């Protein structure tokens, strides 16, 4: 691949659900040669997540795109030895085993750096490599609970609410791709030495949730759930249109708030002293929601969207998957793209996350079957003896 900014980089993806694989997907999208290492028989449990078509897992087709696959039992000495040989030629290794697991297999950072001092080792766990919770099982749901996200999400009089998707993992995966690139930049600028990146699922989503800790530290205030409203501004909510659809309105900027109230026929409130700040408007959310909700409820989604757009106000329809796929802006800008899959034919999936004018990145192939590239990697590239690999395959060490 010549059009990716990471062309020439090699990444070993030794991770499972979901943050590590997403980090490596991003790196692969922009040109890195990603080698997905899975257990020979169990495989990556990502293969069993989400819906399938004709026996082919659809999420796997996307999360493991641009990744060559190899089956290695890392707990077997022969499998660990083969990973070390792969690591000799790699720039990055991403793993998410519980702390101490790689060390127990003779694959800890010290051993990896003996064979490749420049290797960047990204370790993604629930709670990090140290601290009293380090040994705990870590999943995104736990991070969503402990970060304050669940506490702040949901109706004021309802229970804490968890997302219906891998929010904490996804935020962490994107953060991990940034952390890896920082480590590689340092390596290139400061003598070629690799390092260990210790990243937990908890910290990135804590940052995304916002400044609740500093507010508590300085003011002793514990923020509470407030439904779709915001303590920072109003009107800010979801509103139902006359044709049964929903739209979301945001007025984070003062000028936008003024345009919205003029649009819905209540310019008089703009002159109220409390309307001059987002916090002041939030204290009158019932009144403002009433004005906006009544106006929107008398119009179709198309009418609402057109009127808000013409007024320079901020509104968006609340989409389901069908809406996303059919949206003209999504289609025109290539946010989704069609990729040919050898098993299922053309399939639409998320495109690369950002556009780059000189090195845009692209999807070269979809997620591959277990061990699809084992022989190429071990025999053709590492020069292993075919008979030796066949014997290891018979023993379940490779696949």
């Amino acid at each position: 691949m010549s059009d990716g900014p990471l062309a020439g980089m090699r990444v070993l993806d030794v991770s499972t659900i979901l943050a590590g694989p997403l980090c490596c997907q991003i790196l692969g999208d922009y040109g890195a040669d990603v080698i997905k290492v899975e257990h020979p028989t169990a495989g990556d449990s990502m293969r069993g997540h989400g819906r399938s078509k004709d026996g082919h897992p659809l999420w796997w087709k996307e999360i493991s795109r641009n990744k060559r696959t190899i089956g290695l039992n890392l707990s077997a000495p022969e499998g660990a030895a083969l990973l070390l040989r792969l690591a000799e030629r790699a720039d990055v290794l991403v793993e998410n085993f519980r702390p101490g697991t790689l060390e127990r297999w003779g694959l800890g950072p010290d051993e990896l750096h003996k064979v490749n001092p420049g290797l960047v080792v990204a370790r993604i766990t629930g709670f990090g490599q140290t601290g009293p919770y380090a040994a705990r099982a870590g999943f995104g749901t736990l991070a969503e609970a402990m970060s304050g996200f669940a506490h702040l999400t949901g109706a004021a009089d309802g229970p804490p609410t968890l997302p219906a998707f891998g929010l904490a993992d996804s935020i962490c995966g994107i953060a991990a791709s940034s952390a890896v690139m920082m480590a590689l930049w340092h390596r290139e600028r400061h003598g070629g030495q690799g390092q260990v990146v210790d990243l937990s699922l908890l910290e990135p989503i804590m940052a995304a949730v916002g400044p609740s800790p500093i507010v508590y530290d300085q003011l002793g205030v514990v923020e509470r759930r407030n439904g779709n409203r915001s303590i920072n501004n109003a009107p800010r909510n979801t509103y139902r249109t006359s044709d049964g659809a929903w739209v979301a309105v945001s007025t984070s900027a003062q000028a936008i708030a003024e345009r919205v109230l003029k649009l819905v026929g209540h310019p008089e409130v703009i002159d109220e002293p409390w309307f001059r700040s987002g916090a002041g408007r939030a204290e009158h959310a019932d009144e403002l929601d009433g004005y906006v909700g009544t106006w929107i409820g008398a119009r179709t989604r198309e009418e609402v969207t057109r009127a808000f757009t013409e007024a320079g106000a901020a509104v968006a329809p609340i989409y389901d998957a069908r809406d996303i796929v059919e949206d003209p802006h999504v289609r025109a800008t290539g946010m989704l793209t069609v990729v040919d899959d050898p098993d299922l034919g053309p399939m639409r999936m998320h495109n690369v996350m950002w556009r780059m004018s000189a090195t845009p990145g692209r999807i070269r192939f979809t997620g591959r079957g277990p061990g699809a590239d084992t022989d190429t990697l071990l025999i053709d590239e590492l020069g292993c003896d075919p008979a030796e690999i066949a014997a290891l395959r018979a023993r379940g060490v490779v696949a």
Side-chain angles (χ1 to χ4, degrees), residues 1 22 25-26 28-30 62 65-66 324 330-339 347-356 360-364:
M1 179 176 179
L22 178 57
Q25 177 207 308
I26 294 169
D29 284 351
Y30 292 95
E62 179 169 317
R65 67 197 191 191
N66 294 332
I324 295 171
V330 171
R331 286 179 174 267
T333 57
M335 293 182 186
L336 301 177
T337 189
V338 176
V339 185
M347 52 173 46
R348 194 179 307 274
M349 64 175 63
H350 296 108
N351 206 341
V352 298
M353 284 193 185
W354 49 83
R355 310 292 179 261
M356 301 180 70
R362 61 187 171 95
I363 302 168
R364 307 188 295 285

Side-chain angles (χ1 to χ4, degrees), residues 19-71:
L22 178 57
C23 168
C24 295
Q25 177 207 308
I26 294 169
L27 300 177
D29 284 351
Y30 292 95
D33 175 20
V34 180
I35 300 170
K36 177 69 183 179
V37 180
E38 303 176 79
H39 190 276
T41 55
D44 183 346
S45 48
M46 276 298 304
R47 291 185 182 273
H49 268 57
R51 297 182 184 272
S52 297
K53 180 180 178 182
D54 299 336
H56 299 286
L58 297 176
W59 199 357
W60 179 264
K61 293 292 186 181
E62 179 169 317
I63 197 72
S64 290
R65 67 197 191 191
N66 294 332
K67 300 179 185 180
R68 298 194 284 169
T69 60
I70 181 174

